[in-house]
């Protein structure tokens, strides 16, 4: 048995001083962090603390006023929209809280999963279908549901379908906004397990926004705590949860039952 | 392998009037490869706190915690993640797992994280579970519904799956019957024999006598001012 | 006789200039949908007001106009548009494809090969090929701009998944000159191969949607498909019962209450010309002139309320 996995010494994503206002109100302010290949970064904070704003700014859905985002050494904010959108459908993935925002409800499950393949030039129906079938299997959706529309799926299945649709092109960076929100607890657990396996097997880098500390405890390597648009604390997930340094984090941790 | 120097720790309770609670000062110890050092001291003396600082779970206020050539007290999160994956194992008192994941996967996971072939990882997991007398019919079930003793054994199997050069053991034999206790002690002796440096907390004096080469009383690291 | 109450070809000169600018832009950027300010025309939208405005902007007094609807010169729609331009522009009209300088069409490309100098004007109901899966106009424009055409293949994928083959048989999407994906209007996919490398100028007008686009002469036009489900320009596997043509697009016509049917060229001029030249098919006897069939089809279409 050999165990040597080289530690990658260049971050996949390097964020510095990212700031986004909504008029006079702060969305997120002066956010900086590095994300390395294979790392899962959790972002927690109360409702309105700027988590989604930060995620949307990182993913290019919002335009921050200040700061830099370097992806794989490339300046994301200086990219043309064409380049950025190309990145969004190849190297990046975005899993929405509500699967309806991330799926095409009028298109079959297979078509949903195949879309990204076709978007990057997939032109062999048989191959696309085989890949879609494989991915449905990976997210535990039976192969015979491939021609059903997502509207015929349960919430948990829709969320898994959304994940398959996003991961089929083997992205390197995945953004997730409350991926387990709105699901009941046993379905959440199943999804978490699935995500952990995918993260490990595909070496994904993930930024996951959630207000569920149990979710980040199980999924995230590192944790960033946000309050009023600012990052008040960041570090190793279990360290931040078990030995929080900032008053706000202490409050956050103490206000949930054992995580 | 493990070298601690001048370690201190305080907790600041921001939501309780900003009270600052010093819990450790001047902590120091060393564990050589192949050696097992036991931590002793009254309840609340700081055994688990020290252990957690070594694992990077608690932040040190000052001092050095060298594991090999990495100072955990100064290390970046990803250095600690790598250390935990490759070098430093930890058997905590409680098993914390994703619900629904089968026991065999829970135990194999540290190896899968290292990129070991799934078949090889599962074979190793199966061997450990068998050795720890977890009935095979339970392997495909999630350990979340297991008894305390069963969970503890799953936790131990997981902690020993990868042959870490350094190991932290927090009461590994606490809720075990005599047979399983003996199995765990064997595992510890086996790890020592292959050169692992082990830091452990054992309430069970007989166990301590079997595996520990030295004992360190952490009461000596309690801050004088607060004591 | 020109109706003097109107400007030549009904539209005022300024409007025609505006439309011509849109046409020129369309010709310069093949397949790109150019917005234009569509005018009210004295006919309902479903009657091809987009095509009519494009024709109006193209016509000069020397032109010879042909108007077809599903290949036929004699349907109500074709007749009234032809009459409209006879009245408002006083141009000559013809049914002979080869003699026309401007041909306005709905749902067909003539069988007879077009030549340089001819203009083929299509009536377009829905210009946006991405519309059915992405209803947001802002998003579809962006997709064109950034050449994000994966969605077009999703539609074809869905077709195959559901029907075992690409079932789209009308308005089959094409890529123009390797750049823009375009809806060729609801022509049968049988006609798609004629879009590419055509000697004529092809102009597309959508009145309600206010878009004009174009395929200039000899432009590359490729029908989208999959490697393992290639595009096939299919037609009914018959010969024309009137003129015996084996290579033309056919309409199926029920001829009596017993359900007897016959297949006839949808292009009436093509069929008649062949018959005059002495070709005949299974039922190619004098009492079945293709014109009569066209008349009966017209009645059928009107009864079914078929428009664009
Ligand atoms: N579109 C917007 N316009 C104006 N203010 C906004 C907008 N979106 C967010 N904000 C404000 O920005 C701050 C950060 O909001 P954000 O949505 O990023 O929080 P969040 O941490 O994602 O919250 P939640 O946990 O509720 O999703 C809040 O004060 C919020 O009210
Ligand atoms: Mg949010
Ligand atoms: Zn014929």
């Amino acid at each position: 048995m050999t165990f040597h996995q080289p530690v990658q010494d260049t971050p996949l994503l390097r964020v510095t001083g990212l700031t986004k206002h909504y008029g006079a109100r702060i969305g997120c302010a002066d956010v900086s962090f590095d994300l390395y290949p294979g790392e899962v970064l959790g972002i927690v904070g109360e409702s309105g603390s700027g988590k989604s704003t930060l995620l949307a700014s990182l993913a290019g859905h919002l335009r921050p006023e200040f700061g830099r985002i370097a992806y794989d050494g490339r300046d994301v904010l200086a990219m043309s929209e064409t380049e950025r959108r190309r990145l969004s459908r190849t190297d990046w993935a975005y899993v929405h809280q509500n699967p309806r925002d991330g799926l095409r409800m009028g298109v079959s499950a297979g078509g949903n999963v195949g879309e990204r393949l076709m978007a990057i030039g997939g032109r062999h129906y048989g191959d696309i279908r085989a890949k879609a079938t494989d991915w449905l299997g990976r997210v535990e959706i039976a192969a015979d549901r491939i021609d059903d529309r997502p509207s015929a799926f349960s919430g948990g299945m829709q969320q898994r379908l959304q994940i398959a649709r996003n991961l089929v092109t083997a992205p390197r960076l995945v953004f997730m906004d409350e991926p387990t929100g709105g699901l009941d607890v046993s379905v959440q657990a199943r999804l978490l397990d699935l995500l952990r396996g995918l993260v490990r097997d595909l070496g994904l880098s993930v930024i996951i926004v959630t207000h569920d500390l149990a979710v980040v405890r199980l999924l995230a390597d590192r944790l960033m705590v946000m309050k009023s648009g600012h990052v008040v604390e960041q570090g190793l997930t279990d360290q931040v949860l078990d030995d929080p340094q900032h008053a706000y984090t202490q409050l956050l941790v103490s206000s949930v039952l054992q995580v | 392998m493990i070298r601690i120097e001048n370690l201190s720790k305080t907790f600041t309770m921001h939501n309780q009037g900003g009270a600052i609670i010093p819990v450790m000062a001047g902590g120091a110890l060393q564990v050589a490869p192949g050696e097992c050092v036991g931590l002793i001291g009254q309840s609340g003396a700081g055994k688990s706190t020290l252990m957690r600082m070594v694992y990077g779970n608690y932040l040190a206020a000052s001092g050095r915690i060298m594991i090999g050539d990495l100072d955990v007290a100064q290390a970046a999160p990803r250095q600690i993640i790598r250390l935990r994956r490759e070098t430093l194992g930890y058997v905590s008192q409680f098993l914390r797992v994703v619900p629904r994941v089968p026991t065999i996967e829970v135990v194999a996971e540290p190896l899968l994280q290292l990129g070991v072939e799934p078949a090889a990882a599962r074979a190793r997991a199966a061997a450990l579970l068998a050795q720890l007398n977890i009935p095979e019919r339970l392997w495909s079930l999630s350990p979340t519904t297991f008894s305390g003793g069963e969970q503890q054994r799953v936790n131990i199997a997981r902690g020993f799956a990868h042959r870490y050069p350094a190991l932290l053991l927090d009461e590994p034999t606490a809720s075990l019957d005599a047979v399983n206790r003996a199995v765990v002690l064997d595992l510890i002796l086996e790890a020592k024999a292959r050169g692992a440096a082990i830091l452990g907390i054992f309430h069970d004096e007989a166990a301590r006598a079997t595996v520990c080469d030295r004992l360190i009383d952490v009461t000596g690291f309690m801050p004088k001012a607060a004591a | 006789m020109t109706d003097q109450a109107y400007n030549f070809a009904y539209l005022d000169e300024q409007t025609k200039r505006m439309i011509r600018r849109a046409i020129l832009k369309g010709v310069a950027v093949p397949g790109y949908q150019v917005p234009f300010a569509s005018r009210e025309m004295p006919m309902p939208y479903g009657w091809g007001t987009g095509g009519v405005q494009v024709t109006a902007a193209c016509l000069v007094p020397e032109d010879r106009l042909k108007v077809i609807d599903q290949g036929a010169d004699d349907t109500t729609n074709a007749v009234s548009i032809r009459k409209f331009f006879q009245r408002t522009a006083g141009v000559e009209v013809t049914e002979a494809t080869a003699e026309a300088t401007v041909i306005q069409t709905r749902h067909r490309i003539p069988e007879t090969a077009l030549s340089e100098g001819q203009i083929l004007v299509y009536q377009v109901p829905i210009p946006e090929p991405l519309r059915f899966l992405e209803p947001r106009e802002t998003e579809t424009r962006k997709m064109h701009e950034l050449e994000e055409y994966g969605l077009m293949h999703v539609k074809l994928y869905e077709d195959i998944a559901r029907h075992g083959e690409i079932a789209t048989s009308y308005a089959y999407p094409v890529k123009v000159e390797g750049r823009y994906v375009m809806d060729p209007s609801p022509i049968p996919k049988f006609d798609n191969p004629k879009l590419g490398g055509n000697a004529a100028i092809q102009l597309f007008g959508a009145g309600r949607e206010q878009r004009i686009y174009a395929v200039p002469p000899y432009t590359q036009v490729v029908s989208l498909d999959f490697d393992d489900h290639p595009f096939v320009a299919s037609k009914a596997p018959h010969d024309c019962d009137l003129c015996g043509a084996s290579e033309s697009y056919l309409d199926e016509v029920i001829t009596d209450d017993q359900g007897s049917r016959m297949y006839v060229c949808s292009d009436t001029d093509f069929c008649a010309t062949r018959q005059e030249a002495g070709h005949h098919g299974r039922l190619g006897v004098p009492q079945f002139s293709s014109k009569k069939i066209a008349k009966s089809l017209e009645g059928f279409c009107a009864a079914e309320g078929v428009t664009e």
Side-chain angles (χ1 to χ4, degrees):
Chain A
M1 289 194 272
T2 55
F3 301 121
H4 253 75
Q5 288 190 330
V7 163
Q8 286 266 13
D9 268 301
T10 40
L12 186 63
L13 192 71
R14 166 158 281 181
V15 178
T16 20
L18 206 70
T19 301
K20 166 78 192 165
H21 286 85
Y22 297 103
R25 175 186 288 175
I26 293 175
C28 65
D30 199 23
V31 176
S32 302
F33 66 90
D34 288 343
L35 183 74
Y36 287 83
E39 241 182 359
V40 179
L41 173 68
I43 303 177
V44 297
E46 65 196 350
S47 195
S49 58
K51 306 183 298 289
S52 298
T53 301
L54 175 58
L55 202 67
S57 303
L58 293 172
H61 302 167
L62 285 177
R63 181 121 195 121
E65 298 98 63
F66 304 108
R68 280 175 54 90
I69 304 173
Y71 171 76
D72 210 7
R74 295 153 68 195
D75 184 343
V76 175
L77 298 177
M79 272 180 198
S80 69
E81 189 174 11
T82 318
E83 271 182 291
R84 196 145 33 75
R85 284 177 66 125
R86 184 163 298 140
L87 209 54
S88 306
R89 53 174 206 272
T90 53
D91 263 26
W92 291 5
Y94 196 103
V95 176
H96 295 262
Q97 171 168 4
N98 185 344
R100 288 178 172 271
D101 297 333
L103 290 172
R104 289 193 192 278
M105 299 306 282
V107 170
S108 69
N112 264 289
V113 178
E115 182 175 346
R116 274 170 79 111
L117 295 170
M118 294 182 245
I120 59 170
R123 292 294 176 264
H124 192 283
Y125 175 82
D127 289 352
I128 291 164
R129 203 163 165 85
K131 277 218 174 89
T133 308
D134 174 49
W135 267 94
L136 290 179
R138 291 212 218 182
V139 298
E140 302 170 18
I141 295 174
D144 64 4
R145 304 300 302 272
I146 189 168
D147 294 328
D148 291 349
R149 295 193 172 175
S151 45
F153 289 0
S154 69
M157 283 172 82
Q158 288 182 0
Q159 196 56 298
R160 280 178 277 133
L161 181 62
Q162 193 194 178
I163 288 166
R165 168 178 159 89
N166 271 283
L167 298 189
V168 65
T169 49
R172 297 163 70 196
L173 176 58
V174 184
F175 301 98
M176 297 188 186
D177 194 354
E178 305 273 14
T180 60
L183 300 176
D184 59 49
V185 179
S186 69
V187 178
Q188 267 197 24
R190 189 169 172 193
L191 192 67
L192 277 180
D193 173 31
L194 179 81
L195 286 174
R196 264 162 68 102
L198 291 171
V199 165
R200 184 187 65 215
D201 298 343
L202 306 175
L204 301 175
S205 300
V206 179
I207 300 180
I208 177 170
V209 159
T210 178
H211 56 250
D212 189 335
L213 300 186
V215 167
V216 285
R217 161 91 69 183
L218 293 171
L219 218 49
D221 299 307
R222 284 196 298 129
L223 193 57
M224 215 154 80
V225 183
M226 293 193 71
K227 181 185 190 313
S228 314
H230 294 266
V231 175
V232 296
E233 181 163 1
Q234 56 176 318
L236 210 56
T237 300
D238 58 286
Q239 180 263 302
V240 172
L241 294 178
D242 294 339
D243 186 15
Q245 305 295 303
H246 192 277
Y248 175 70
T249 317
Q250 291 184 357
L251 193 66
L252 202 65
V253 170
S254 67
S255 46
V256 284
L257 298 169
Q258 202 216 352
V259 287
Chain B
M1 184 69 204
I2 302 175
R3 197 175 76 245
I4 296 173
E5 294 167 6
N6 197 25
L7 189 62
S8 72
K9 173 71 190 160
T10 55
F11 287 107
T12 308
M13 316 302 277
H14 292 287
N15 301 304
Q16 291 165 42
I20 297 177
I21 305 170
V23 294
M24 186 178 293
L29 63 82
Q30 296 200 16
V31 187
E35 193 184 24
C36 177
V37 172
L39 297 178
I40 54 169
Q42 72 204 54
S43 177
K47 302 182 292 295
S48 291
T49 298
L50 175 60
M51 196 87 100
R52 284 165 168 257
M53 280 194 281
V54 175
Y55 199 56
N57 180 233
Y58 282 0
L59 284 183
S62 67
R64 278 153 61 89
I65 306 169
M66 303 303 298
I67 310 288
D69 52 14
L70 183 71
D71 182 358
V72 174
Q74 300 291 325
R78 65 197 195 89
Q79 289 177 302
I80 296 179
I81 289 165
R82 186 191 184 196
L83 179 82
R84 289 174 176 186
R85 194 167 55 216
E86 297 174 0
T87 311
L88 182 63
Y90 179 39
V91 177
S92 61
Q93 278 173 284
F94 303 102
L95 180 66
R96 214 192 299 255
V97 294
V98 181
R100 206 187 76 101
V101 181
T103 297
I104 185 106
E105 297 295 323
V106 168
V107 175
E109 202 195 356
L111 294 171
L112 296 174
Q113 290 280 3
L114 285 163
V116 174
E117 280 296 305
R122 279 187 203 109
R124 167 91 177 138
L128 281 161
L129 287 169
Q131 196 178 350
L132 284 155
N133 302 302
I134 302 288
E136 191 163 348
R137 67 187 156 78
L138 297 182
W139 297 0
S140 59
L141 305 180
S142 162
T144 40
T145 56
F146 290 6
S147 74
E150 284 167 342
Q151 290 200 5
Q152 170 110 37
R153 281 178 279 149
V154 172
N155 209 13
I156 289 162
R158 180 180 161 91
F160 281 85
H162 170 46
R163 296 180 173 88
Y164 297 100
L167 260 179
L168 307 173
L169 308 174
D170 195 346
E171 308 230 37
T173 57
S175 45
L176 301 183
D177 56 51
V179 176
N180 287 308
R181 184 174 152 279
V183 174
V184 173
L185 296 181
D186 274 350
L187 283 172
I188 296 170
L189 292 174
E190 203 180 289
K192 282 175 67 180
R194 66 169 166 81
I198 301 174
L199 188 62
I201 302 170
F202 307 89
H203 279 138
D204 166 4
E205 287 192 30
R208 225 184 263 164
T210 312
V211 297
C212 293
D213 301 291
R214 288 187 291 122
L215 299 177
I216 290 177
D217 188 346
V218 299
T219 316
F221 307 151
M222 288 178 79
K224 301 295 171 258
Chain C
M1 247 274 281
T2 316
D3 191 327
Q4 294 303 325
Y6 302 109
N7 190 36
F8 176 76
Y10 184 77
L11 294 174
D12 62 81
E13 289 308 308
Q14 200 185 337
T15 300
K16 283 194 276 187
R17 268 200 302 278
M18 175 273 291
I19 294 173
R20 284 179 200 134
R21 274 197 297 273
I23 292 172
L24 284 174
K25 186 165 175 189
V27 168
V29 191
Y32 172 74
Q33 297 169 45
V34 184
F36 79 107
S38 184
R39 291 296 142 89
E40 288 296 325
M41 298 301 283
M43 58 190 78
Y45 273 125
W47 285 66
T49 55
V52 168
Q53 289 176 81
V54 169
T55 299
C58 290
L59 280 179
V60 292
E62 304 74 55
D63 271 321
R64 242 182 338 273
L65 178 68
K66 171 180 166 76
V67 181
I68 48 173
D69 175 14
Q70 316 243 34
D73 295 88
D74 287 5
T75 66
T76 316
N77 187 304
V79 169
S80 46
I81 291 172
R82 194 164 53 225
K83 280 203 186 121
F84 173 79
F85 283 115
Q86 277 179 297
R87 263 183 65 193
T88 60
V91 291
E92 260 186 76
V93 295
T94 178
E95 297 188 4
T97 300
E99 283 167 19
T101 53
V102 177
I103 304 171
Q104 179 167 335
T105 180
R106 172 174 172 270
H107 296 194
R108 275 310 311 274
I109 298 177
E111 302 290 353
T112 308
L114 301 178
S115 52
E116 287 182 22
Q118 288 185 301
I119 299 176
L120 182 60
V121 179
Y122 296 76
Q123 300 172 203
V124 181
I126 298 169
E128 180 47 72
L130 298 162
R131 172 79 46 86
F132 81 105
L133 279 178
E134 181 50 75
R136 289 169 299 173
E137 166 88 22
T138 47
E139 187 61 18
T140 52
R141 301 195 101 198
K142 192 111 259 169
M143 290 161 114
H144 283 294
E145 181 189 334
L146 304 177
E147 280 188 77
E148 294 181 357
Y149 289 132
L151 207 50
M152 234 33 262
H153 275 85
V154 172
K155 173 171 162 34
L156 301 180
Y157 170 95
E158 292 287 286
D159 251 15
I160 303 173
R162 202 153 296 146
H163 309 286
E165 60 178 3
I166 299 178
T168 302
S169 52
Y170 286 89
Y172 192 106
V174 294
K175 194 164 204 180
V176 180
E177 208 63 27
R179 177 59 181 84
Y180 286 97
V181 164
M182 183 186 98
D183 183 325
S185 86
I187 57 172
K189 66 177 175 179
F190 173 82
D191 282 342
N192 270 27
K194 289 182 240 160
L195 289 162
N198 200 316
I201 299 177
Q202 300 172 77
L203 304 177
F204 299 78
R208 190 176 34 221
E209 304 248 352
Q210 318 213 48
R211 291 288 183 280
I212 286 170
Y213 50 101
V215 175
Y218 307 111
T219 297
Q220 182 204 57
V221 179
V222 178
S223 302
L224 303 181
D225 62 3
F226 287 103
D227 298 345
D228 49 344
H229 285 268
F231 171 81
V232 182
S234 58
K235 66 181 263 287
H238 299 279
D239 293 346
C240 173
D241 283 330
L242 296 180
C243 76
S246 59
E247 73 286 9
S248 69
Y249 190 74
L250 303 172
D251 287 328
E252 189 181 344
V253 185
I254 311 286
T255 50
D256 59 28
D257 292 345
Q258 280 70 52
S260 310
R261 56 195 65 210
M262 64 184 294
Y263 292 92
V264 295
C265 296
S266 95
D267 185 333
T268 51
D269 168 60
F270 176 77
C271 199
T273 309
R274 276 179 56 87
Q275 290 178 70
E276 276 153 29
H279 298 279
H280 60 83
R282 191 173 61 92
L283 306 170
V285 283
Q287 72 264 33
F288 272 111
S289 108
S290 60
K291 296 268 165 74
K292 278 192 183 142
I293 300 296
K295 282 286 183 207
S296 68
L297 267 179
E298 176 193 332
F300 171 75
C301 291
E304 294 288 303
V306 180
T307 56
E308 285 179 338

